Structures are given as structure tokens and as C-alpha cells.
Amino acid sequence: MADLTITDIDMAAMERFYRSNLINSLSGFKSVNLVGTIHPQGMTNLAVFSQVFHLGAKPVLMGMIVRPDSVPRHTLANLLETGSFTLNHLRADFYRQAHQTSANYAGSEFEACGFTPWFSEKIAAPYVREASVKIGLVFRERIDLAINGTVLIIGEVVEVRVPADCLLPDGYLDIEKAGTLTSSGLDGYHTTTRLSRLTYAKPDREPREMDCSGEKTGEQQ
Amino acid sequence: MADLTITDIDMAAMERFYRSNLINSLSGFKSVNLVGTIHPQGMTNLAVFSQVFHLGAKPVLMGMIVRPDSVPRHTLANLLETGSFTLNHLRADFYRQAHQTSANYAGSEFEACGFTPWFSEKIAAPYVREASVKIGLVFRERIDLAINGTVLIIGEVVEVRVPADCLLPDGYLDIEKAGTLTSSGLDGYHTTTRLSRLTYAKPDREPREMDCSGEKTGEQQ
């Protein structure tokens, strides 16, 4: 099948939703998390986000892109006021309800979409009890991106709750085993199948596969 | 199986590589791209990146986190000097070679790792001919993140080359059909299986599945 070339001129002329579907597909598969926050007066909030990414391991930082003019704006207001938020990986058994949190509800999306808030003693923000992988963060920095009006929120991880049998001896968390999904575009949800983990790349040898215990296996190629 | 709770105190005490493996797994599945650049004097460069994300559809912007002190620092230097870079989705038939680009080579990783540079008339940076999904970007903005010394690079998409049969009528690009991989942690590579696409969420109805033509199917639940 032939390749199709799409230029900036083509993109500028596209209908709004068509362009949004296309552009959201371009970066590749995305992380997809339910972001939990709470209003200072107590109402919980839950919103599905696919613009969350690793920022660094020391300190332990994650980044999240927020559009202040979008429905999940409560997430931004709450995390700025309380100084905390949670990330909760999506699983196949509740991805429809997770997708539904992006609808514009008057009350809490926890109740409206069938999720159970769970609180630790570490932070104010609620976790999603149904999620296998839960991450608690404190707000560290807000960077306004003038180029398109979005906001980069930087959070520091202060607490992690994961299934014990998904944490390998070398620290790799087997999120596939934990049932974590990935997303594509604005509305595609996918399970995964691991090809392999590959050993640290060095110029004088081909990468080798590692087994699920994090040990090196197989012959050097 | 019981849940394991890991606190900030635990993380601070972790051995460096253990912590890096764990923290890189936390954000969920990641996009994984080969980033192509060229030095003004002509040497091409190729590096695998998993910190690339969608930033906005109007203008068409993507973000990429770069560590200036890491091996792929040539990527940063080249894209700043020439003003362009490419993103090329990974496929299963060359993910080992793609992983290998993170080794510290003296010459071009295209040659060292078995990739073919391909140039369009639109930008200076080289594409990876072997990739099904190719994205050409011009450099728009550099934001230094003082919090951990990383750099956020913002690029504007000016050219896209995709398999024609992967572009659906509503603009959704079926990257699973194109063979695009996702990654986990520092070294895990995965294929995907779509559960479904879900319709735009509204408060008064459950999301429905869409078929691969982008049309709505199934009954409202």
C-alpha cells in the first residue's frame, strides 16, 4: 500500500475534529491514567489523561500537560490548591468507565462513573481503589506554555502502590502483568504483548533479551 | 497477591539502576520513536526516545524531553543548529536495532545500526526509510527545566508520511495496523491489541464502541 504524504498546508486546511484525531495519533502510543484530585472543601474529582510522562528519576518527577480551558480544568484547580494529585493506571475491566470521566459532570466522577476513592495518610488527593498501579504526587512546578496556552504540571512522586508480584528484582515494574492499558489517538484503548526487554546498549555488541526476572538470557547475537 | 507500598523515603534509598528501572515504569506505556537529526556539516544522527508526547493540535505541536548530559545530546545540538528533526515510529522488525542506537557510537547510528536515511524536500533532518510512520518537525521552542536539568523541546509538525490504508475516514491513524510499538521502563518493547475506540463521552450515556472505519457501531448500553 502506498504512503500518503500530509503537509502543514494540508493539516491547516483539515476540519477540526479530523485534525484532532490525526494529530493525537502521531506521537505514538500513550500512557493513560486516571488523575485523582480533591477540592479543599471535599469534593473529589477524577479525569482521564493521556499526556502524562516520565521526567526524571532523581528527584522522581513526572510531567502532565493540562489544557486550562478543557473540562478537566478542575484537576488543575484542585491540584494547585491542595498540592497533590494521584495517577492511576487504566485496566481493561474499567476502561469504559475511565473514558466516561471525560464527560462534563456536575458532581464527582468517582460516583458518576463507578469508582471508589481511597485515601492514604501521605497526601490529600484520592486514589482509585480499583486501579492496580497507584502513584501519589505532590505538586512541584507549573510552567505555562505560551505557544499554545497549555500548562505543564510537574509533580514529585511521594508514594507508589503496586502489586507485589509485578515488581521484578531489578526494579522494573511489569505493568503489562499489572494489566495496564495504553491508548492511541483520542479514544483508542489497547492491551499489550511484550516482545522482550533488551539489555543496555553498547557499541560492540547486539542487545540481548532479558527474561521476566530481569536477568540476562539467551546468546549474544 | 498483596499490594506493596513504596514511599519517597524508600525511593531515595534505592540503588541507582533499581530506582531508574522502577521510576521509568511508573508513568505507564510510552511512545517510542527514533529521532533523526543531521549535523550542519552532514553527519546524520539517530537516537531512540520514549519521552515524546502530544502537545496540541492547533498549531500541531509535539514535546520531547532531552537530557543534555546523556548520550543522545547530539540530537539536541543538531536540532537546535538545523532547526529540524524527525520522529519515526518503531516496528517489531527493527526494534532491536532501534534500541541499539542508544549505544555510544563515534559515527552515524544510521550506518552503525542498519538504518537508511531518507530525505524529503521539506526539512533538513533525515527520516528512517524503514519506518512506516514518519513525522517531520521544525524546532519551535526550548524550555530548560531547572528542577532537574532536562530540556523540553517543542516542535511543530510540518510533514507526515503514513501508510494510506492506516488513515481512517475520521482522521484517526491506526498506528496498531501500521505496526507501531510501545515501550515500558527503560528497555521493554510491546506490540498492542486494540480493545476498542470509544465514542466521545457525554454525561447522559455510556460510551459506545466505534469500528475501524471510525463510524459508531453497537447499541447504546
Side-chain angles (χ1 to χ4, degrees), chain A residues 1-8 11 17-31 33 51-62 65 89 92 95-96 99-100 102-105 122 132 134-135 140-141 143 145 147-148 150 152 154 157-165 167-173 175-176 180-182 184-185 187-203 205-207 209-210 221, chain B residues 1-8 11 17-31 33 51-62 65 89 92 95-96 99-100 102-105 122 134-135 140-141 143 145 147-148 150 152 154 157-165 167-173 175-176 180-182 184-185 187-203 205-207 209-210 221:
Chain A
M1 176 62 98
D3 272 3
L4 199 65
T5 300
I6 302 165
T7 68
D8 46 354
M11 288 185 275
F17 292 106
Y18 186 98
R19 181 176 57 225
S20 187
N21 279 329
L22 173 62
I23 305 308
N24 273 278
S25 307
L26 286 184
S27 57
F29 288 101
K30 312 181 201 185
S31 66
N33 282 281
Q51 284 162 285
V52 168
F53 51 93
H54 171 79
L55 203 53
K58 192 177 182 181
V60 184
L61 299 176
M62 295 172 73
I65 303 292
H89 287 197
Y95 82 102
R96 289 167 171 277
H99 183 78
Q100 188 66 11
S102 59
N104 195 356
Y105 289 107
K122 196 92 180 173
S132 298
K134 306 175 177 75
I135 306 163
R140 285 293 301 273
E141 197 169 337
I143 298 174
L145 304 178
I147 196 165
N148 70 347
T150 57
L152 165 59
I154 300 177
V157 177
V158 294
E159 188 174 44
V160 176
R161 286 178 67 93
V162 298
D165 61 347
L167 185 60
L168 303 196
D170 68 349
Y172 176 86
L173 184 66
I175 57 176
E176 181 168 290
T180 298
L181 299 185
T182 181
S184 68
D187 48 31
Y189 296 90
H190 311 248
T191 60
T192 65
T193 304
R194 184 166 37 242
L195 293 167
S196 72
R197 294 181 64 195
L198 296 177
T199 52
Y200 190 82
K202 294 185 177 179
R205 64 163 199 216
E206 296 277 317
E209 296 189 357
M210 288 189 278
Q221 297 187 330
Chain B
M1 177 60 99
D3 271 4
L4 199 64
T5 300
I6 302 166
T7 69
D8 46 354
M11 287 185 274
F17 292 106
Y18 185 98
R19 182 176 56 227
S20 187
N21 279 328
L22 173 62
I23 305 309
N24 274 278
S25 307
L26 286 184
S27 56
F29 288 101
K30 312 180 201 187
S31 66
N33 283 281
Q51 284 161 286
V52 168
F53 50 93
H54 172 78
L55 203 53
K58 192 178 183 181
V60 184
L61 299 176
M62 295 172 72
I65 303 292
H89 288 197
Y95 81 101
R96 290 166 171 278
H99 183 78
Q100 187 66 10
S102 58
N104 195 358
Y105 289 106
K122 196 92 180 171
K134 306 175 177 75
I135 306 163
R140 284 292 301 273
E141 196 169 338
I143 298 174
L145 304 178
I147 197 166
N148 71 347
T150 56
L152 166 58
I154 299 176
V157 176
V158 293
E159 188 175 43
V160 176
R161 286 179 67 92
V162 297
D165 61 348
L167 185 60
L168 302 196
D170 68 349
Y172 176 86
L173 184 66
I175 57 176
E176 180 168 290
T180 298
L181 300 185
T182 181
S184 68
D187 48 32
Y189 296 90
H190 311 249
T191 60
T192 65
T193 304
R194 184 166 36 242
L195 293 167
S196 73
R197 293 181 65 196
L198 296 177
T199 52
Y200 190 82
K202 294 187 176 179
R205 66 165 199 215
E206 296 277 315
E209 297 190 357
M210 288 188 279
Q221 299 186 326

